[in-house]
Amino acid sequence: MSLLHDPLHFDAATLHAARPGRVTLVGAGPGDPELLTVKAARLIGGAKVVLHDALVGRGVLELIPRTAHRIDVGKRSGHHKLSQDGIIELMIRLARSGHELLRLKGGDPYVFGRGGEEAQALAEAGIPFEVVPGVSAAQGAGACAGIPLTHRDHATEVVCVTGHLRDGPDGTRTLDLDWPRLARPQQTVVVYMGVAALPLICERLIAHGLSADTPAALVERATLPEQRCVAGTLETLPALALVQAVKPPALLVVGTVVSLQPVLARAMALAA
Ligand code: SAH
């Protein structure tokens, strides 16, 4: 089968199987295939039809059997391959025609991956489905970059938000977050999809009361061999990110836990 299999190439016979199919939404983790759950690895190894996102790690994709139909429904900001509605429509169409689909999503299917919407659509369509959790990017980035997300001396809470910019009514790109909530002390703020909005996020957090010296870091391609961590403060990080050309996928972590990163990362490097 071609690796970038064209979804429209399922022929009529394939699409009219009598037995109703099912869907398994599987968390592929942050990239390193060794961070798959045992269940996810088993299901991927036995998959027949796989729909996967762009963020699913190369090493994970290599575990898909060569005989499987592999459909890349991946979408990166600005380069949409298939709309979310199109993905849902395709899943329902294939499942209704009897296929056992493995829907492979980066990280955990129910954390910022629109897996909730996919599950809702399957439920509404009466298609049986199962969800297999995965290691989310925040957990992967924290562990592998050396940033404990909670720590008794630093943070008793973790708040995960999306930094995805939306089109505002006046045509500008906006980010509608609960800034007073995010600017509280004694917590770690993790921002998914926050690279484009980084300057805005840092500026808003300072404006709402966090010190400009608050440690902040971007973890790019966490858990992969290319992983990079760019650490600074709310004040310095936007310029550092620009100079170091940090690109998605990357996670922004804000809070004093980030001050532990250099020591922990150095110690971990010795163990590697
Ligand atoms: N469901 C996924 C998140 C999907 S949203 C999960 O649970 O991890 C996509 C965002 O996740 C990216 O823009 C980035 O902010 C983050 N992300 C995913 N994989 C990542 C990785 N390996 N390193 C850093 N950030 C990652």
Side-chain angles (χ1 to χ4, degrees):
M1 300 295 162
S2 92
L3 291 186
L4 284 173
H5 190 80
D6 179 349
L8 303 175
H9 282 173
F10 282 88
D11 57 31
T14 315
L15 285 172
H16 288 96
R19 195 170 44 88
R22 65 197 300 281
V23 177
T24 313
L25 292 164
V26 176
D32 179 352
E34 298 223 309
L35 295 177
L36 283 169
T37 62
V38 174
K39 185 167 185 175
R42 174 174 59 77
L43 292 171
I44 293 168
K48 295 198 174 63
V49 183
V50 180
L51 273 73
H52 70 86
D53 289 340
L55 273 181
V56 173
R58 271 189 316 276
V60 174
L61 295 178
E62 280 165 13
L63 302 176
I64 300 172
R66 289 191 187 285
T67 49
H69 286 279
R70 179 173 141 183
I71 306 169
D72 181 0
V73 294
K75 50 199 169 17
R76 287 188 184 278
S77 335
H79 298 94
H80 285 253
K81 287 186 181 166
L82 204 57
S83 69
Q84 186 61 40
D85 285 351
I87 294 170
I88 288 174
E89 223 179 278
L90 179 63
M91 276 169 42
I92 292 176
R93 191 156 57 93
L94 291 171
R96 283 212 170 121
S97 55
H99 291 284
E100 304 249 321
L101 293 189
L102 194 145
R103 173 72 176 109
L104 196 52
K105 300 181 72 67
D108 181 90
Y110 277 176
V111 177
F112 297 124
R114 304 187 76 174
E117 284 152 77
E118 294 179 15
Q120 267 181 308
L122 294 170
E124 273 163 32
I127 290 165
F129 67 93
E130 187 186 358
V131 182
V132 179
V135 172
S136 192
Q139 297 161 299
C144 297
I147 308 174
L149 299 181
T150 67
H151 187 295
R152 280 160 62 115
D153 300 335
H154 294 273
T156 51
E157 284 181 69
V158 186
V159 188
C160 294
V161 294
T162 167
H164 187 66
L165 290 161
R166 288 177 184 266
D167 290 326
D170 57 354
T172 56
R173 308 277 280 155
T174 64
L175 189 53
D176 197 14
L177 293 174
D178 183 352
W179 297 109
R181 167 79 185 84
L182 297 183
R184 286 190 206 161
Q186 284 288 314
Q187 67 179 10
T188 304
V189 176
V190 178
V191 186
Y192 287 70
M193 296 170 275
V195 175
L198 178 69
L200 173 70
I201 294 167
C202 293
E203 180 260 307
R204 296 278 78 200
L205 290 176
I206 295 170
H208 283 84
L210 274 188
S211 158
D213 290 339
T214 306
L218 282 167
V219 186
E220 184 187 65
R221 303 188 74 75
T223 81
L224 293 164
E226 319 85 83
Q227 172 181 299
R228 277 202 302 172
C229 179
V230 176
T233 64
L234 284 178
E235 189 169 28
T236 62
L237 192 61
L240 286 173
L242 209 61
V243 172
Q244 307 229 18
V246 176
K247 289 188 196 65
L251 211 65
L252 169 63
V253 187
V254 179
T256 61
V257 285
V258 174
S259 65
L260 306 173
Q261 194 272 336
V263 172
L264 298 185
R266 218 174 300 127
M268 287 195 299
L270 294 177

